[in-house]
Amino acid sequence: VYLLGNTYRLQPSSITFTDPAKIAPDLNISTLTQLQGRTVTLTITGPLDRLETSVQSSDASETTQSLASVLVGRNIGGEDALA
């Protein structure tokens, strides 16, 4: 998947439909990308009306910075992550 200038590799993931009365997918999607020399994992889980996201970085101290890079395409300090 290509998003905000980065290529995300889909990891083992699933979409399940447990309610036979309606179309209500439950997502468990995990992707990896490389941002500024570190590996970032973006995970999206839950039903569409209550999605939860998780961002993890290979450098644990950089999780907040990784989240900013993934969500808005730039670092919190304003430096463009896509440059």
Side-chain angles (χ1 to χ4, degrees):
V1 175
Y2 187 77
L3 178 65
L4 294 173
N6 293 302
T7 300
Y8 293 82
R9 295 186 320 262
L10 188 62
Q11 299 301 297
S13 301
S14 65
I15 301 174
T16 47
F17 297 88
T18 56
D19 188 344
K22 62 182 178 178
I23 297 174
D26 191 5
L27 306 178
N28 183 8
I29 299 172
S30 181
T31 64
L32 290 177
T33 192
Q34 295 292 317
L35 291 174
Q36 300 173 346
R38 62 189 184 271
T39 301
V40 176
T41 303
L42 171 64
T43 304
I44 301 171
T45 57
L48 293 178
D49 61 344
R50 292 185 318 252
L51 285 178
E52 295 183 19
T53 59
S54 169
V55 177
Q56 296 179 330
S57 174
S58 57
D59 180 353
S61 66
E62 294 291 330
T63 299
T64 302
Q65 200 71 290
S66 297
L67 178 60
S69 296
V70 168
L71 295 179
V72 298
R74 65 179 183 268
N75 289 331
I76 292 173
E79 180 183 328
D80 190 353
L82 306 178

